[in-house]
Amino acid sequence: MALSYPATTSDYRRLAQRRLPRFLFDYIDGGAGMEQTLAANLADFANLRLRQRVLVDVDHVDTRATLAGTECTLPLALAPVGLAGMMARRGEAQAVRAAHAAGVPFTLSTVGICPLDEVAAAAGAPFWFQLYMIRDREAVLALLQRAWGVGCRTLVFTVDLPIPGMRHRDTRNGIGAHGLRTSLLRASQLLPRARWLWNVGLRGKPLRFGCLTEQVPGARDLEGFWAWVNAQFDASVTWRDIAWLRERWKGRLLLKGILDAEDARAALDVGADGIVVSNHGGRQLDAAASSISKLPTIAQAVGAQVEVLMDGGVRSGTDVFKALASGARGVLIGRPWVWALAGAGAPGLRALLATFQRELKLTMTMAGVTRVADIGAQHLDG
Ligand SMILES: Cc1cc2nc3c(=O)[nH]c(=O)nc-3n(C[C@H](O)[C@H](O)[C@H](O)COP(=O)(O)O)c2cc1C
């Protein structure tokens, strides 16, 4: 069935599935292990019920919010997603433009395709930068300096990836493998996707990790970059390293990948400005709890002392409302923005963000609340 007028996140997912080579679609879509945490992220949102209220004056509903010092048209930011420039031509540059046109923050991943200055040129306003702790601390400092130099003032520091999770779909697609079998498999997935080959594979070059070209000068292709990145994941990182980082980053620091109240309190102690309650979209520890189920206890543990954001399973403006009612100040979305961009380009992403905003406004109206700051547990039914 043709999707002339995609309306929902799952419509964009289907469009992306049609346009992308299988190994790229699976890379976005999949999670770790049996994908149980990925499923729980969605199911636990679906199981939340809201209270419908009537005869409240909801003539002026305002969805605006401020997240990490950035004013937004709704309390939502685009999450860092690696390799977005493989999903659409110069994907990160397109996405930052669409996000800023819609009035929401964009986060550039360490392993994005477009380099910091290309994204800065497209952005026209400060964007957020995501970093992992890599073994080479000089490289960390160099990256921080470059991000600061192009105007980034919010650092999203990801702490839930001491090693990459086991993503079986990637294994089945031969990601990380070499040899004839992989080449044949790759060719069989690429050939039916001529449009992607032309638009992204050819016209989207250079396809390398744009932020890391100075760190990995010898890398000829993405495989070369992956080898470096995989060797650089540092599993020895502790809170002391975060204290080291805190001393060196003068902007706002958000720790992403917190899923436990004790860790949230430690983030507070180390001087983080905010946390992102997250299980990396179910891509790391399969069997970890869903983000939305952990949110209330974590938010309660840290109170108003740090800004609590969350991600994992947010698929609509109604989900944004549910996250706020469960204790978050705002949300990040990962897969939805990449599906929209891959499936329908920048206009698709702009349309999706507009839909999220309309859904949030409608939900607020029906719940009888006019300001996002007033959304709370009292709006949940049960
Ligand atoms: C394809 C893909 C790549 C990702 N790459 C990164 C990354 O480079 N850095 C990071 O901190 N998180 C990364 N994430 C996790 C997202 O930032 C976010 O936590 C997750 O997608 C939220 O779940 P959702 O996809 O259900 O919205 C990635 C997620 C996906 C789906």
Side-chain angles (χ1 to χ4, degrees), residues 112-359:
I113 295 292
C114 296
L116 274 158
D117 47 1
E118 183 178 348
V119 176
F127 55 98
W128 298 359
F129 182 59
Q130 177 264 325
L131 194 60
Y132 295 109
M133 188 62 90
I134 44 189
R135 284 186 197 280
D136 178 353
R137 298 294 197 270
E138 291 303 315
V140 172
L141 294 177
L143 283 165
L144 290 181
Q145 210 171 19
R146 247 183 291 141
W148 187 269
V150 300
C152 298
R153 294 294 178 268
T154 298
L155 179 68
V156 177
F157 200 80
T158 301
V159 293
D160 61 0
L161 213 136
I163 53 168
M166 283 188 81
R167 304 175 193 154
H168 298 315
R169 294 202 214 185
D170 292 352
T171 308
R172 288 190 202 105
N173 286 322
I175 290 187
H178 300 279
L180 182 64
R181 217 174 112 220
T182 318
S183 307
L184 289 174
L185 180 67
R186 192 62 40 86
S188 73
Q189 295 185 353
L190 285 172
L191 284 174
R193 294 289 183 267
R195 182 180 181 151
W196 179 92
L197 270 173
W198 169 244
N199 248 333
V200 188
L202 285 172
R203 291 167 71 209
K205 285 184 174 175
L207 294 173
R208 56 187 185 204
F209 290 156
C211 297
L212 301 176
T213 45
E214 281 173 35
Q215 269 63 50
V216 206
R220 301 245 169 282
D221 50 21
L222 276 177
E223 259 82 31
F225 281 99
W226 267 133
W228 185 85
V229 169
N230 280 327
Q232 284 290 333
F233 284 120
D234 188 348
S236 72
V237 175
T238 68
W239 289 104
R240 281 174 45 184
D241 299 282
I242 304 299
W244 172 89
L245 176 77
R246 177 67 284 188
E247 276 172 26
R248 284 156 182 83
W249 176 257
K250 301 298 171 218
R252 280 194 165 77
L253 175 65
L254 306 181
L255 293 184
K256 172 173 178 285
I258 303 284
L259 206 61
D260 190 277
E262 249 177 69
D263 290 340
R265 276 190 290 266
L268 179 71
D269 292 342
V270 86
D273 300 293
I275 57 173
V276 184
V277 176
S278 173
N279 49 37
H280 216 97
R283 296 164 77 80
Q284 285 295 101
L285 174 63
D286 196 29
S290 69
S291 309
I292 187 73
S293 71
K294 299 300 287 188
L295 185 55
T297 29
I298 293 178
Q300 212 166 26
V302 293
Q305 300 173 80
V306 294
E307 205 166 305
V308 178
L309 308 181
M310 70 82 63
D311 72 21
V314 177
R315 297 291 178 265
S316 69
T318 312
D319 289 344
V320 178
F321 185 100
K322 288 177 175 178
L324 267 54
S326 304
R329 172 89 78 93
V331 305
L332 274 57
I333 54 168
R335 294 178 184 85
W337 77 256
V338 187
W339 288 328
L341 190 70
L349 177 51
R350 282 201 304 274
L352 180 74
L353 292 171
T355 300
F356 267 77
Q357 202 223 350
R358 282 203 308 278
E359 285 167 340

Side-chain angles (χ1 to χ4, degrees), residues 88-101:
R89 180 167 13 130
R90 312 312 289 164
E92 294 86 2
Q94 286 204 62
V96 78
R97 248 184 249 119
H100 286 183

Side-chain angles (χ1 to χ4, degrees), residues 31-62:
M34 306 292 283
E35 302 189 343
Q36 286 167 348
T37 298
L38 173 61
N41 277 350
L42 297 168
D44 289 350
F45 261 111
N47 285 333
L48 286 179
R49 291 284 166 269
L50 300 175
R51 287 173 67 198
Q52 171 179 298
R53 303 301 306 275
V54 297
L55 299 174
V56 182
D57 180 355
V58 280
D59 203 23
H60 298 288
V61 170
D62 186 355

